[in-house]
Amino acid sequence: MNSQFDVIVFGATSFVGQILAQYLSDKFNHEGQESLNWAIAGRSQTKLDEVKATIKQPNLTTLIADAQDEVAIKAMCDQARVIISTVGPYALYGETLVKVCAESGTDYCDLTGEVQWINRMLLKYEDAAKASGAHIVHCSGFDSIPSDMGVYFTQKAAQKSFGEYCNTIAMRVKAAKGGASGGTIASMLNITEEVMKDPALRKDLVNPYLICPKDHGFKARQFDTRKPTFDKTFNGWTAPFIMAAINTRVVFRSNALAGNPYGTDFKYDEAMLVGKGFKGRLTATAIVAGLGAFFIGAAIKPTRWVLENYVLPKPGEGPSPKEQVEGYYDIRFAGKTPSGKEIRTKVIGQGDPGYGSTSQMLGQVGACLALDKDLLTDKEGGFWTTSTLLGDRLIERLEKDAQLKFEVIS
Ligand SMILES: NC(=O)c1ccc[n+]([C@@H]2O[C@H](COP(=O)([O-])OP(=O)(O)OC[C@H]3O[C@@H](n4cnc5c(N)ncnc54)[C@H](OP(=O)(O)O)[C@@H]3O)[C@@H](O)[C@H]2O)c1
């Protein structure tokens, strides 16, 4: 395909899109760096011009497209090899772009964590992507790269050391510092609203294998941390990790797409480690109560209105530049093989998980799709995960240019 641009960032005016635009501006096309021919797109010329001015890229091309305007979206896709989308909530604004990319053979990545929407996109457009050759990669941010790539890394290390894969892996967030943006809150509130309108969706949301191919054959009952739980493996109290709802689904899809190398009874779960003793238990209890209050508040109209208007960040708002840089995360994996061998690994990232770090991860997924052409030649079109499509090459990129580190501890 002869496209004018390697990458177009659609939604460059969003909170995370602006950070991404700055990142691409810093990381590409200077001496000694990779060349990336990129442009930005959105629905407002004025706002796109402001982004250009902020990142000091006066010659950057801007394209105008509304997310619901299929003709404009098609015209944008015709000019790019890869579209990176930060226009969300994706369940509200994302479908036309996925449809056009899948039908036209344009590669695509995004930051969605909305599993119910991913499932709808799979059902509607997977055949089209397979036919056109488009590589569609959802979840290319904090959800779910550290989990998906962390499990991939852990399994490769286990295979190398023991000659077998783990059939159980537990992921624990040991430490994390960061905030939430209005766009992320809007996506979470939208899921709550969808469930209120269609209670049947609840069943989908608790299905760990929802986005696996229909013939996945997985039988294992998966464990979900929903209440304060003492974790013997990590010797501490755990609380629910809100991203587990999407990350675990992506990990199971990766296993299925790779041909079930970890086995059909592979077990994987995620939780937050919150400390030891009475204080740990108290913190876990407070987190469970806080999450419960948020979801109840979001489900009831008057409290939802108060949350949206007075408590939570609005679309376009999020952590400060200082918070984006100073944020971090430290994620641990404990794996066990069928013969009882154990492995511990970690993934650490510098930068606010959802924004400072997410924008770097997303930028590198886009660059990998656009520039590492040899990697994709034998990969047919379809809906991939980061680990199954980009594997080691993405880990190299993340470690070199996105401030992540993957390590075997023991
Ligand atoms: N996976 C992760 O780790 C992660 C991390 C961060 C964010 N996210 C997700 O990323 C998404 C963006 O988050 P954010 O906080 O950056 O959002 P945001 O600041 O609220 O931005 C939303 C973007 O969507 C654009 N938009 C809305 N309707 C549109 C339409 N009809 N046509 C074209 N553009 C339209 C907005 O354009 P205007 O500027 O013109 O209004 C803006 O660029 C959210 O879905 C969020 O959940 C995921």
Side-chain angles (χ1 to χ4, degrees), residues 331-348:
I331 286 171
R332 304 291 168 114
F333 297 84
K336 204 170 186 177
T337 69
S339 70
K341 309 244 176 30
E342 294 186 17
I343 185 166
R344 295 283 180 114
T345 63
K346 69 174 173 180
V347 177
I348 49 173

Side-chain angles (χ1 to χ4, degrees), residues 259-293:
N260 299 351
Y262 318 147
T264 49
D265 60 351
F266 173 60
K267 288 192 170 192
Y268 176 72
D269 75 287
E270 299 191 345
M272 290 203 300
L273 264 183
V274 294
K276 296 182 185 179
F278 180 69
K279 202 173 157 212
R281 186 176 196 159
L282 203 66
T283 311
T285 308
I287 291 172
V288 171
L291 283 173

Side-chain angles (χ1 to χ4, degrees), residues 308-348:
E308 279 178 320
N309 288 285
Y310 293 103
V311 181
L312 302 168
K314 297 185 181 45
E317 297 174 359
S320 70
K322 189 169 176 278
E323 288 166 332
Q324 288 163 32
V325 174
E326 289 180 353
Y328 59 83
Y329 49 92
D330 178 341
I331 286 171
R332 304 291 168 114
F333 297 84
K336 204 170 186 177
T337 69
S339 70
K341 309 244 176 30
E342 294 186 17
I343 185 166
R344 295 283 180 114
T345 63
K346 69 174 173 180
V347 177
I348 49 173

Side-chain angles (χ1 to χ4, degrees), residues 385-404:
T385 59
T386 50
S387 69
T388 49
L389 185 66
L390 308 173
D392 291 342
R393 195 71 65 86
L394 182 61
I395 291 186
E396 278 166 36
R397 284 185 168 276
L398 295 174
E399 293 203 313
K400 182 170 172 287
D401 282 318
Q403 301 187 80
L404 266 83

Side-chain angles (χ1 to χ4, degrees), residues 330-382:
D330 178 341
I331 286 171
R332 304 291 168 114
F333 297 84
K336 204 170 186 177
T337 69
S339 70
K341 309 244 176 30
E342 294 186 17
I343 185 166
R344 295 283 180 114
T345 63
K346 69 174 173 180
V347 177
I348 49 173
Q350 182 59 43
D352 172 275
Y355 306 94
S357 179
T358 279
S359 53
Q360 299 179 51
M361 292 188 264
L362 180 62
Q364 289 303 331
V365 172
C368 204
L369 286 170
L371 302 178
D372 297 348
K373 298 185 185 99
D374 56 311
L375 192 64
L376 302 182
T377 45
D378 63 338
K379 299 272 173 54
E380 62 176 20

Side-chain angles (χ1 to χ4, degrees), residues 24 55 62 67 105 113 131 133 138-139 155 202 204 215 240 286 322 337 346 356 384 395:
L24 296 180
I55 64 171
T62 55
H138 296 301
C139 307
Q155 291 287 27
R202 246 178 250 268
D204 281 351
D215 58 353
K322 189 169 176 278
T337 69
K346 69 174 173 180
W384 291 84
I395 291 186

